Amino acid sequence: MPGETPSMTPLGPLDRIGFAPGLRAATDQHAAAVRDILQTSGLETSRQTLQEYLDGFLSGCAETGWTLGPRLDWHAQRMLAVQRMIEAVPPG
């Protein structure tokens, strides 16, 4: 997509996951937590801010040695929630 930075590409396998009821509830909770974090920090819930949050989160995961496994753990759920939040914000 024009104007899209490499870091804004889909999250591979996470991008193709459907929403089972339990997963939807978990990602909704993660999205609410991220919105609270951004609001408390005085930041907008924009595509750029969400991408920066996700980049920082991924860096933290890499520093701890976390990798995406076959189960959607807390980290994977948070990444999925933020990716869905980014997709929901109109470009611009």
Side-chain angles (χ1 to χ4, degrees), residues 53-66 75:
Y53 174 89
L54 184 57
D55 290 344
F57 185 79
L58 290 170
S59 293
C61 288
E63 288 174 12
T64 64
W66 178 86
H75 297 86

Side-chain angles (χ1 to χ4, degrees), residues 2-89:
E4 184 175 69
T5 63
S7 61
M8 289 183 70
T9 58
L11 294 172
L14 289 181
D15 187 56
R16 293 185 288 276
I17 294 173
F19 274 114
L23 181 57
R24 178 175 293 283
T27 56
D28 285 349
Q29 290 175 347
H30 280 282
V34 170
R35 278 191 296 274
D36 288 348
I37 290 167
L38 296 178
Q39 184 178 22
T40 300
S41 300
L43 300 170
E44 292 182 35
T45 309
S46 67
R47 290 175 73 95
Q48 180 165 343
T49 302
L50 289 166
Q51 186 62 51
E52 289 170 1
Y53 174 89
L54 184 57
D55 290 344
F57 185 79
L58 290 170
S59 293
C61 288
E63 288 174 12
T64 64
W66 178 86
T67 59
L68 181 60
R71 299 190 59 166
L72 290 178
D73 64 5
W74 187 92
H75 297 86
Q77 291 172 12
R78 179 62 59 108
M79 286 186 274
L80 180 59
V82 176
Q83 177 67 23
R84 299 292 180 171
M85 291 172 74
I86 291 169
E87 292 170 356
V89 176

